[in-house]
Amino acid sequence: MVEEKLPDQSDSRSRVTMSGKASKAEPITDITIEKEERVKTKMAEFNRVLGGGVVPGSLVLIGGDPGIGKSTLLLQVSAQLNQQGGKVLYVSGEESAAQIKMRAERLELRGTDFYLYAETEISAIQGTIEKLKPDYVIIDSIQTMHHVKIDSASGSVSQVRESTSTLMQIAKMNEIAIFIVGHVTKEGAIAGPRMLEHMVDTVLYFEGEQHHTFRILRAVKNRFGSTNEIGIFEMRNGGLKEVLNPSQLFLEERLAGATGSAVVAAMEGTRPMLVEIQSLISPTVFGNAKRTSSGLDYSRVSLIMAVLEKRAGLLLQNQDAYLKAAGGVRLDEPAIDLSIAISIASSYKEKETRPTDCFIGEIGLTGEIRSVSKIEQRVKEAAKLGFKRVFIPKNNKDGWEMPDKIEVIGCTTLSEAIKKAFI
Ligand code: TYD
Ligand code: MG
């Protein structure tokens, strides 16, 4: 149970609509659409995730684990928006203005219309926004903000919700784009960004493994664009750098000729990405077989192992299995099935796949290989990166133009694909 304090009911807040203006019912044919303008930052990855740029008057939530790089990202975005002539107010409840300045210097950012403000009280922030009239406001982080009207602690459900709804009002009334940072709390849902998802226009999650340098910005909700876009960044000494060619990067450390490795051309949003799937299969020494997977859905892996056992005759029940999508990415789409199966088979049989082979296809329970979407883009990406053969579902072979540098092998069943891959 979480206690929730309600604000003063005499408030007129609930009358504010999405557009910030008083609204009335109108016939749909009478409504005119103003051309939606977007401001593009210099980071193409960031623009793409937002659906093409920053929309004025939008409220964007950026969630992520503490220390993942949210402040760094927003500081860099602020500097760029400022360079393009926007007035930016960066409100921090976590660091002092001097600390932020130090970080900005480390990132080599400076700007004359870039204001830093260390404050945690929402009405004070509202006052400053009204005086300064910025085009963009960053709130870092929502968990440190509080509203005088509510007397519970910062970070509590009612404080977080009330602060966000005030910010929503400010964004809509003044056409200011506001970015809110939200830490993902250990307990998960309570007072974390999840609770705010329905209130804001766009929700982006910044994720990555602490010990990897890659960071992935993922759109979870977007009123102004598609939600399956991701942006890839690398955390370096001088801040976040965008990764424009992720495939190359994810394959860089691949060990040619190792068993248990298979490459897939997965789609992340509108972009194909080549990722190595690794497996390690070894006999169980004692008790139940151990199975883990990182970056891959565990139930998908279990299902594929069951199909391999039943339809392709691999005896996996007394084998431990460890699976991983290399590079710290998380893949979740049907087309990665075949590469998972091949990588398991490769480790089990102790036979390596050819380093220039790529595998695409969904696996059905009867061991059939089912067609997948966007096959042309996937195969083109593989060809572009120098792959020589690509295994695809047979039903996917028609109706598109195959690149001539790559041999396309159509497969109907899993056993057929395994046979062709290991000769
Ligand atoms: P930060 O943006 O403070 O994370 P968050 O706001 O999500 O809590 O990022 C902190 C981490 O980023 C910190 O561990 C150090 C690292 N970092 C770099 O590696 N290079 C840099 O240039 C900067 C500014 C930070
Ligand atoms: Mg921070």
Side-chain angles (χ1 to χ4, degrees):
M1 301 297 282
V2 180
E3 183 193 26
E4 190 174 340
K5 297 241 169 69
L6 293 172
D8 200 349
Q9 285 304 319
S10 58
D11 216 325
S12 62
R13 178 179 340 272
S14 50
R15 288 262 315 128
V16 173
T17 62
M18 286 305 299
S19 62
K21 294 161 204 118
S23 179
K24 61 178 188 331
E26 278 179 90
I28 191 166
T29 44
D30 290 359
I31 296 171
T32 51
I33 305 168
E34 292 158 41
K35 180 95 181 70
E36 190 181 88
E37 28 164 342
R38 286 171 187 265
V39 182
K40 286 196 160 49
T41 65
K42 265 193 280 165
M43 279 196 248
E45 297 289 288
F46 189 70
N47 297 338
R48 190 191 20 247
V49 178
L50 283 176
V54 183
V55 179
S58 63
L59 190 63
V60 180
L61 173 68
I62 300 196
D65 292 328
I68 205 77
K70 301 180 293 298
S71 306
T72 309
L73 176 70
L74 286 174
L75 210 55
Q76 286 178 257
V77 167
S78 304
Q80 289 184 4
L81 289 169
N82 181 225
Q83 273 173 7
Q84 289 164 349
K87 192 187 250 187
V88 182
L89 175 66
Y90 190 106
V91 184
S92 178
E94 306 197 329
E95 292 159 295
S96 69
Q99 272 174 311
I100 307 168
K101 164 120 203 219
M102 259 158 58
R103 190 198 299 230
E105 273 176 358
R106 183 173 164 202
L107 299 171
E108 293 173 12
L109 310 174
R110 53 188 71 85
T112 46
D113 250 350
F114 182 1
Y115 295 85
L116 299 180
Y117 184 30
E119 178 57 67
T120 55
E121 207 285 303
I122 287 289
S123 13
I125 294 168
Q126 188 167 13
T128 308
I129 292 174
E130 273 156 21
K131 237 188 310 153
L132 208 59
K133 299 197 182 349
D135 304 305
Y136 308 97
V137 175
I138 320 288
I139 303 290
D140 189 1
S141 64
I142 194 68
Q143 276 104 347
T144 57
M145 297 296 148
H146 67 103
H147 201 292
V148 270
K149 274 203 226 128
I150 298 170
D151 57 359
S152 57
S154 325
S156 65
V157 177
S158 34
Q159 284 292 9
V160 167
R161 186 172 320 168
E162 196 52 29
S163 303
T164 308
S165 98
T166 309
L167 291 167
M168 174 65 129
Q169 209 180 355
I170 300 172
K172 301 298 165 195
M173 302 265 250
N174 309 298
E175 288 268 292
I176 300 174
I178 302 187
F179 293 90
I180 299 177
V181 171
H183 295 294
V184 173
T185 47
K186 272 267 153 20
E187 300 78 29
I190 297 172
R194 283 243 106 100
M195 197 190 79
L196 302 174
E197 282 180 0
H198 68 284
M199 299 174 77
V200 302
D201 296 315
T202 303
V203 180
L204 309 179
Y205 276 95
F206 205 32
E207 49 194 51
E209 287 174 37
Q210 283 285 345
H211 306 288
H212 271 95
T213 54
F214 305 120
R215 298 287 180 268
I216 296 176
L217 189 64
R218 195 183 289 274
V220 178
K221 162 181 174 178
N222 196 349
R223 286 191 180 139
F224 313 111
S226 143
T227 50
N228 29 32
E229 289 298 347
I230 64 163
I232 302 179
F233 298 86
E234 196 181 353
M235 182 63 96
R236 302 241 196 99
N237 265 336
L240 290 157
K241 295 269 162 356
E242 1 173 28
V243 174
L244 295 172
N245 191 348
S247 302
Q248 204 159 21
L249 197 92
F250 287 133
L251 295 180
E252 226 165 50
E253 290 174 87
R254 192 160 63 112
L255 210 57
T259 59
S261 154
V263 173
V264 62
M267 290 302 293
E268 278 289 359
T270 52
R271 180 168 56 175
M273 212 165 70
L274 294 186
V275 181
E276 180 190 8
I277 308 287
Q278 300 178 329
S279 308
L280 190 67
I281 308 291
S282 63
T284 306
V285 179
F286 179 76
N288 291 336
K290 279 202 237 13
R291 264 105 207 248
T292 65
S293 64
S294 105
L296 300 169
D297 181 23
Y298 181 74
S299 52
R300 183 181 294 283
V301 171
S302 311
L303 187 144
I304 294 170
M305 291 185 74
V307 176
L308 275 168
E309 177 124 22
K310 195 95 178 162
R311 311 284 177 195
L314 264 62
L315 233 147
L316 294 169
Q317 55 197 341
N318 50 0
Q319 304 280 332
D320 290 345
Y322 306 94
L323 274 95
K324 185 176 164 77
V329 273
R330 204 183 63 202
L331 298 177
D332 195 11
E333 63 145 342
I336 63 173
D337 289 358
L338 183 58
S339 61
I340 295 178
I342 295 288
S343 108
I344 293 173
S346 162
S347 179
Y348 176 78
K349 292 171 180 284
E350 303 223 0
K351 278 191 194 155
E352 67 269 28
T353 55
R354 292 194 203 169
T356 51
D357 278 358
C358 176
F359 303 89
I360 303 161
E362 179 180 353
I363 295 176
L365 293 185
T366 57
E368 82 278 20
I369 307 219
R370 310 180 69 100
S371 51
V372 299
S373 63
K374 304 197 177 108
I375 192 72
E376 186 168 1
Q377 277 165 279
R378 299 177 198 259
V379 173
K380 278 200 175 130
E381 177 78 1
K384 201 174 91 193
L385 277 129
F387 282 76
K388 297 281 186 289
R389 298 198 303 177
V390 59
F391 290 68
I392 67 164
K394 192 155 214 162
N395 285 341
N396 263 143
K397 273 191 100 169
D398 299 323
W400 54 282
E401 209 179 301
M402 290 180 200
D404 43 7
K405 281 182 296 179
I406 194 163
E407 184 191 346
V408 176
I409 301 171
C411 306
T412 339
T413 64
L414 181 54
S415 353
E416 180 192 347
I418 292 177
K419 211 182 284 163
K420 285 180 179 166
F422 298 106
I423 36 167

